[in-house]
Amino acid sequence: MDTITPPDLSQPLIISAALTGSSPSKAQNPAVPITPEEIVEAALACREAGASIVHMHVRDDEGKAAGEVWRFARIMELLRASGTDLVINFSTSGGVGRASEEDRLGVVGLGPDIVSFDCGSLNFGSTVFINTPTFLDKLAQECLTHGVLPEIECFEQGHIASALRLIEEGKLDTPCWFQVVLGVRGGAPGTIKQLVQMVDSLPSGTPWSACAIGRAQLPVGLTAMAMGGHVRTGLEDNIFYHKGRLAASNAELVARLRRMADEIGRPVASPTETRALLGLPRTVRVAEPA
Ligand code: ZN
């Protein structure tokens, strides 16, 4: 990063809304969208509030984490029917151990603009989130084949090194799009120092966003905005608005960031501007013979 030039706050700000995730339940916060209809309603409300990207997971009929392709297909159908211009980002996490590799890879073929690309394994709360090098190679290839942008989620410093290796090997197209994810129990802590260190390790000029879990969400998000990066919010990462006060909706969290962006002079990117900033749609690249 440049050490003498202050961040350019005139850069449009991409706000991503992570609507559901794998963990939060309605028992914890009734506003967490669970059914496809609720998820799409939340997505459209976030668009109104200032988000240009919606990042989505699916749940089973009991509200538990899931990852079947048909569940994502239902959400895609509803989004398309709504006519929204939102940039669609589907999770390939498979509900952290609950979906098959086939389902995790199959999500890419549904035609989202972006899919999550979790660039390594880690302890994740009380479980292990497994992303083997073989799986990542296959996921990278699926992204190239379908012209989908991988959102390279880095939960700790080593994940950035793994991403750089994949770029060097030509398995990921550049420019990439990074999401620095802090505060997962098992990953890098949700501190400003960690954010700055990780962002310093990214390839120069690469667009990046940051998110953090729980009470780290707001300080990390605000710092990312002030650094000239982009920001993710939403109930996937944090169910509270303030300490002791649950967020009323995903859109409420988005609207707060939009107001803060206004105050520091950062225009909020529309979905069209976001597509331009991220080079969407991506070119489809046919697999090279091994
Ligand atoms: Zn997610």
Side-chain angles (χ1 to χ4, degrees), residues 21 55 57 91 153 232 236:
H55 167 72
H57 291 236
S91 173
E153 293 193 331
R232 173 173 121 175
E236 167 170 351

Side-chain angles (χ1 to χ4, degrees), residues 117-151:
F117 190 94
D118 301 295
C119 210
S121 304
L122 77 160
N123 286 346
F124 198 100
S126 57
T127 184
V128 183
F129 184 23
I130 297 173
N131 297 287
T132 65
T134 313
F135 171 73
L136 292 178
D137 280 357
K138 289 182 193 169
L139 183 56
Q141 187 56 58
E142 281 300 297
C143 288
L144 293 174
T145 303
H146 293 281
V148 171
L149 174 67
E151 177 171 278

Side-chain angles (χ1 to χ4, degrees), residues 18-22 55-57 89-93 116 118 124 129 151 153 155 181 211 232 236-237:
L19 307 173
T20 298
S22 295
H55 167 72
M56 289 167 282
H57 291 236
N89 173 347
F90 281 163
S91 173
T92 60
S93 67
S116 61
D118 301 295
F124 198 100
F129 184 23
E151 177 171 278
E153 293 193 331
F155 295 78
V181 187
C211 65
R232 173 173 121 175
E236 167 170 351
D237 301 333

Side-chain angles (χ1 to χ4, degrees), residues 11-137:
Q11 292 289 323
L13 174 73
I14 299 171
I15 301 178
S16 293
L19 307 173
T20 298
S22 295
S23 308
S25 66
K26 279 203 186 290
Q28 292 168 319
N29 183 336
V32 175
I34 299 292
T35 66
E37 289 76 13
E38 287 173 346
I39 290 169
V40 171
E41 191 185 330
L44 300 178
C46 285
R47 165 77 176 94
E48 287 299 306
S52 53
I53 300 178
V54 280
H55 167 72
M56 289 167 282
H57 291 236
V58 291
R59 301 294 184 93
D60 68 16
D61 297 340
E62 291 171 1
K64 296 203 177 93
E68 296 95 333
V69 173
W70 66 267
R71 294 187 192 276
F72 281 100
R74 174 68 183 141
I75 291 179
M76 184 62 95
E77 189 184 3
L78 292 171
L79 284 167
R80 293 248 160 89
S82 78
T84 184
D85 60 354
L86 275 162
V87 177
I88 297 168
N89 173 347
F90 281 163
S91 173
T92 60
S93 67
V96 185
R98 295 180 64 93
S100 67
E101 181 175 296
E102 198 184 352
D103 273 319
R104 294 180 67 185
L105 295 171
V107 168
V108 185
L110 291 174
D113 301 282
I114 301 173
V115 292
S116 61
F117 190 94
D118 301 295
C119 210
S121 304
L122 77 160
N123 286 346
F124 198 100
S126 57
T127 184
V128 183
F129 184 23
I130 297 173
N131 297 287
T132 65
T134 313
F135 171 73
L136 292 178
D137 280 357

